[in-house]
Amino acid sequence: MDYHVFVINLKRCVEKRKKMEIKLKKAGIKATFLKAYDGKNLSISELEKMDVGILKEWRDPHSGRNITWGEVGCALSHYEIYEHCVKNNIENAVIFEDDAEVPSNLNDKLENTFDSLKKLIWDFCYIARKPMDLKKDKEIIPGIIHPGYSYWLCGYIINLEGMKKIIQSNFIKKIIPM
C-alpha cells in the first residue's frame, strides 16, 4: 500500500530529531519532518489569530484536567499533516512523534499492518499508544484490535478518508487532545 511517513518535531528539540533520523535510517524509512506547534508559544489570542478554538468542556477522563498548551500544539501539528495530505491527495499517512520507538524492522511491520488493514474498513490504526483500559481492547483479526481509550499518539496510520472526516468535523474550532 502506498503511504508517506511524517515525523512531528519541536524546533527546540534538535536531539530528538537527530535520534529519530538515525532510527528511521536504520529502518530504511524516508520521512518528512514537520516543525511542530510549540505549546509554549501558544495563547488564546494566538489561537484567535489562527481562527482556532479549544473545546473548553473537554476533561481528561482520568485526571479531570483541561487540555494543556502542549496538547493544543500537538493537535495543531497533527491537523496540519491532515490538511497537507488532503490537499496533496496522499492516500495514507504514517505519523510519528519524534520520541516514538522505531523498530529496525518497521518496513516489515508496516507492510504486515497494511496487509491486515486491506481486510477491513478503517480510517485510523495505532502503531504505538498508551492504553488506558486494556479490558476494552477487542481483537478484530489477528494482530489488529479495536482499542479502548488510549493516550499518547506516538505513532499511527491514518487514511485519506479519516483525515477528511477530522477536517470536516470542524475539529480545528473545538480542539481536544489527539
Side-chain angles (χ1 to χ4, degrees):
M1 206 173 274
D2 195 30
Y3 61 88
H4 193 97
V5 178
F6 295 91
V7 177
I8 296 171
N9 173 253
L10 289 169
K11 185 178 180 181
R12 62 183 159 86
C13 295
V14 177
E15 284 305 310
K16 282 185 178 182
R17 179 181 174 128
K18 287 179 185 174
K19 286 179 184 177
M20 185 56 114
E21 286 171 340
I22 291 167
K23 291 177 195 177
L24 291 171
K25 186 175 182 179
K26 283 182 183 175
I29 302 282
K30 291 184 180 182
T32 300
F33 279 76
L34 172 79
K35 187 182 83 171
Y37 285 87
D38 194 333
K40 291 184 177 189
N41 300 329
L42 294 173
S43 65
I44 295 295
S45 62
E46 187 66 29
L47 294 183
E48 287 171 353
K49 287 180 205 170
M50 295 166 38
D51 200 25
V52 170
I54 297 171
L55 184 63
K56 293 176 179 68
E57 299 83 12
W58 182 87
R59 299 280 182 274
D60 181 278
H62 292 276
S63 70
R65 67 165 174 73
N66 291 91
I67 191 170
T68 67
W69 284 112
E71 289 169 332
V72 172
C74 180
L76 288 170
S77 302
H78 287 265
Y79 190 85
E80 188 171 284
I81 292 172
Y82 306 156
E83 288 182 319
H84 170 80
C85 290
V86 168
K87 179 180 174 186
N88 293 287
N89 204 35
I90 295 172
E91 193 62 39
N92 297 291
V94 177
I95 302 171
F96 290 106
E97 294 191 356
D98 61 5
D99 56 356
E101 290 300 317
V102 176
S104 58
N105 64 343
L106 179 62
N107 265 330
D108 294 336
K109 288 184 176 273
L110 288 174
E111 194 173 304
N112 291 337
T113 301
F114 277 115
D115 283 346
S116 294
L117 291 173
K118 286 177 187 175
K119 301 170 189 166
L120 303 169
I121 297 171
W122 68 282
D123 294 322
F124 177 94
C125 179
Y126 281 110
I127 298 172
R129 68 187 177 108
K130 179 181 178 181
M132 300 304 281
D133 187 357
L134 285 172
K135 291 181 223 157
K136 295 198 176 171
D137 286 0
K138 292 183 180 37
E139 189 169 61
I140 301 169
I141 59 174
I144 302 286
I145 62 166
H146 184 273
Y149 183 73
S150 301
Y151 216 72
W152 293 350
L153 204 52
C154 309
Y156 63 100
I157 303 167
I158 186 167
N159 67 24
L160 190 57
E161 288 307 308
M163 292 181 270
K164 287 178 180 177
K165 286 178 184 178
I166 292 171
I167 290 169
Q168 291 165 358
S169 76
N170 209 19
F171 175 83
I172 201 70
K173 298 287 188 178
K174 50 187 179 202
I175 289 176
I176 61 171
M178 297 302 277

